[in-house]
Amino acid sequence: MLEGGLTYDFAQIVMDCELIRMVRRIVRGITVDDESLAVDVIKQVGAAGEFMSHEHTFRHFRNEHSQSKIADRTIRANWLAKGSKEMVERAYEEARYILKNHQPDPLPSGVDSAIGRIMEEANEHYGIKQN
């Protein structure tokens, strides 16, 4: 069943999505220009200055690394103090949350009838009779 793709694990899908997000971030690469390097900010603040509260840092800090939902990147002591949940356990929790709470956007007008037509054509092509 697993090899035929007839069953799957929701936690595995969550972990796969996490990995895909990380790979996309890596593939995107690093932008190297005056804005991303904060050349003007370094001139303004100085090499030994404090950058964390600067507006430039606030605008850019979330774009330059992958934001993990299920990988715990804290130090081991903090991980242990929080219950030492492994990634798989957090992935199952996230999968259950998604299954319980996700509300998909409705299909645009006409899409459902277009899908119906495609299914009818496929059934006719392959000789499948509908009840």
Side-chain angles (χ1 to χ4, degrees):
M1 295 290 283
L2 285 171
E3 289 178 4
L6 300 175
T7 186
Y8 45 90
D9 186 322
F10 291 122
Q12 185 64 56
I13 294 170
V14 170
M15 290 186 290
D16 290 348
C17 287
E18 178 103 343
L19 181 62
I20 290 166
R21 270 194 298 275
M22 291 178 189
V23 169
R24 281 181 162 173
R25 175 59 195 98
I26 292 167
V27 169
R28 189 177 83 207
I30 299 170
T31 303
V32 180
D33 58 19
D34 287 348
E35 174 64 16
S36 67
L37 294 174
V39 173
D40 291 339
V41 177
I42 293 170
K43 288 177 184 174
Q44 175 189 358
V45 175
E50 188 272 310
F51 296 89
M52 293 304 295
S53 63
H54 197 279
E55 174 64 25
H56 181 275
T57 304
F58 186 75
R59 278 195 323 268
H60 293 278
F61 80 100
R62 291 186 187 192
N63 299 327
E64 297 307 322
H65 60 88
S66 62
Q67 298 287 324
S68 176
K69 283 185 124 182
I70 59 170
D72 190 332
R73 294 179 175 159
T74 59
I75 62 172
R76 184 171 179 81
N78 292 350
W79 176 73
L80 290 169
K82 293 188 302 186
S84 57
K85 285 184 187 176
E86 294 182 2
M87 186 173 179
V88 172
E89 186 178 352
R90 287 191 304 277
Y92 274 114
E93 289 173 356
E94 179 68 11
R96 283 191 290 273
Y97 176 84
I98 292 168
L99 289 168
K100 181 179 178 183
N101 297 298
H102 179 68
Q103 296 294 318
D105 294 334
L107 292 174
S109 178
V111 169
D112 53 348
S113 59
I115 292 172
R117 284 192 303 276
I118 292 168
M119 292 299 297
E120 287 173 10
E121 290 172 13
N123 288 339
E124 186 177 314
H125 178 78
Y126 292 105
I128 300 170
K129 296 190 185 332
Q130 295 295 313
N131 295 332

